Amino acid sequence: MTRHLLADDDLTPAEQAEVLDLAAELKSAPYDHKPLAGPVTVAMVFDKPTLRTQTSFSAGVAELGGHAMMIDGAMAGIGVRESVPDVARILGRQAGQIVWRTYAQSGVEEMAAHAGVPVINALTDEFHPCQLLADLLTIREHKGQLAGLRAVFLGDGACNMGNSWLLAGATAGMHVVISGPQGYEPEREIVDRAAAIAATTGGSVALESDPVVAVTAADVVITDTWVSMGKEDEAAIRLGDLAPYQLNAPLLEHAATDAIVMHCLPAYRGKEITAEVLDGPRSVIWDEAENRRHAQKAVMTWLQARR
Ligand code: NVA
C-alpha cells in the first residue's frame, strides 16, 4: 500500500527511528544514493510562503537523482479551479511523489486518498512533520539520543509546530511539554493522541502554562513565530498574549546547563525569541535548517521504497 507522510504519527516509533537513521546515512554521503534516478519527478505545490521547504526539497530531490517540479499554488488553484481529487489524479499521473504545503490538513488527506503516489505534508495549519524529522535528527546529533529528553515548546501551542512536537516527540519517547497561555493550547484530541503514543514509548506529554516551570531542567527549548502563516489578522493580539513566553536569557537560565535552543524559522528577534538567544551558543538553528534537506531526502527515499 502506498505510504504517505501527512502527520507525524504516520510513522511508528520503529519507522521514525528508521527514517532518522537513513537521514544520518544520507547526510554522511549526500551524493551516493539515487533512489529517484530516472529521474522520478517530485511535484511540489506551495499555497503558502516558503524558503527552507522549497530549497531543501529542490536540492534534496536533485541529490537523490530526481526532478523537482515546482507548482505555484495560486496558479494551480487547487480546490478552487479544480477539486483536490482531480488535481491528485493529474499530479499522480505526472509525478512519482507529491509535496504540498497548504492550509487544511483535510486537503493533504484528500490528496493522498486520490493521488496513487506518496504525498508529503510540507506544512498545514495542523502539522509540520518534515520539520520535526529535521529537529529530531538535529537533537540526535547534539545529544546522542532522543528518548528520555525533556523538550519544551514555548508559545503558540495550538499551531502546527506545537501539534507536531506532541506527536513526533512522543513517538521518539521524549518528555514533551507545551507551554503557552490560555487559548493557545493544542486541541485535546491531539494531546490525547500523543499521550497514547507516549504510553507505548516511555515518553510523556504535558501542558504547563508557567514558562519557568516548563523550562526547568529542559534539554531542548523550542519556540516558533507567534503569528503563523494565515494568522496575520490576529498579529496585534497574539503579540500581547504570547509576550510572557518569550525565549530569552533569563528564562533559559532555568533549563539544563547543556540545553539546546531550536526554532524552525523564520524567526522574529525581539518577539518570540531574543537575538541574544537565537544567535547565542546554545542555538542549533542553522543545523536544524540544513537538516531539513537530509530528513526530507530520507522521507522521499523511504516512501519511494514503499509505493
Ligand atoms: N508555525 C509556523 C511555522 C513556519 C515554518 C507557520 O505555520 O507559519
Side-chain angles (χ1 to χ4, degrees), residues 69-173:
M69 179 199 278
M70 271 298 299
I71 298 162
D72 178 344
M75 188 131 52
I78 302 178
V80 180
R81 193 166 161 264
E82 292 186 80
S83 71
V84 175
D86 283 2
V87 172
R89 292 180 189 108
I90 298 302
L91 294 183
R93 297 287 182 110
Q94 303 295 350
Q97 296 193 17
I98 299 168
V99 173
W100 190 17
R101 166 169 291 189
T102 190
Y103 293 86
Q105 182 68 12
S106 58
V108 291
E109 288 167 2
E110 210 176 1
M111 182 76 82
H114 297 277
V117 299
V119 174
I120 300 171
N121 175 359
L123 181 149
T124 59
D125 291 344
E126 215 164 338
F127 299 111
H128 196 3
C130 291
Q131 180 68 54
L132 260 290
L133 289 169
D135 289 7
L136 297 181
L137 177 64
T138 308
I139 297 166
R140 275 186 16 161
E141 290 172 350
H142 285 270
K143 297 273 171 205
Q145 67 180 98
L146 293 173
L149 295 180
R150 179 176 174 87
V152 179
F153 179 90
L154 290 166
D156 180 10
C159 84
N160 40 27
M161 284 299 295
N163 291 338
S164 276
W165 256 105
L166 281 169
L167 295 185
T171 302

Side-chain angles (χ1 to χ4, degrees), residues 243-289:
Y245 295 85
Q246 183 188 65
L247 177 45
N248 52 37
L251 181 59
L252 196 55
E253 279 294 302
H254 298 278
T257 49
D258 60 350
I260 56 173
V261 167
M262 307 189 83
H263 192 308
C264 63
L265 304 172
Y268 300 92
R269 290 172 175 81
K271 294 200 167 63
E272 76 274 6
I273 189 167
T274 59
E276 182 188 9
V277 171
L278 189 75
D279 302 315
R282 295 177 180 211
S283 168
V284 298
I285 57 160
W286 307 120
D287 292 344
E288 191 184 354

Side-chain angles (χ1 to χ4, degrees), residues 2-38:
T2 304
R3 296 287 301 266
H4 309 280
L5 181 65
L6 307 180
D8 305 83
D9 57 350
D10 283 344
L11 298 175
T12 65
E15 290 172 345
Q16 184 195 68
E18 193 185 335
V19 169
L20 292 173
D21 287 344
L22 183 56
E25 189 186 329
L26 294 173
K27 184 172 181 175
S28 70
Y31 309 109
D32 289 1
H33 300 83
K34 306 286 179 200
L36 300 184

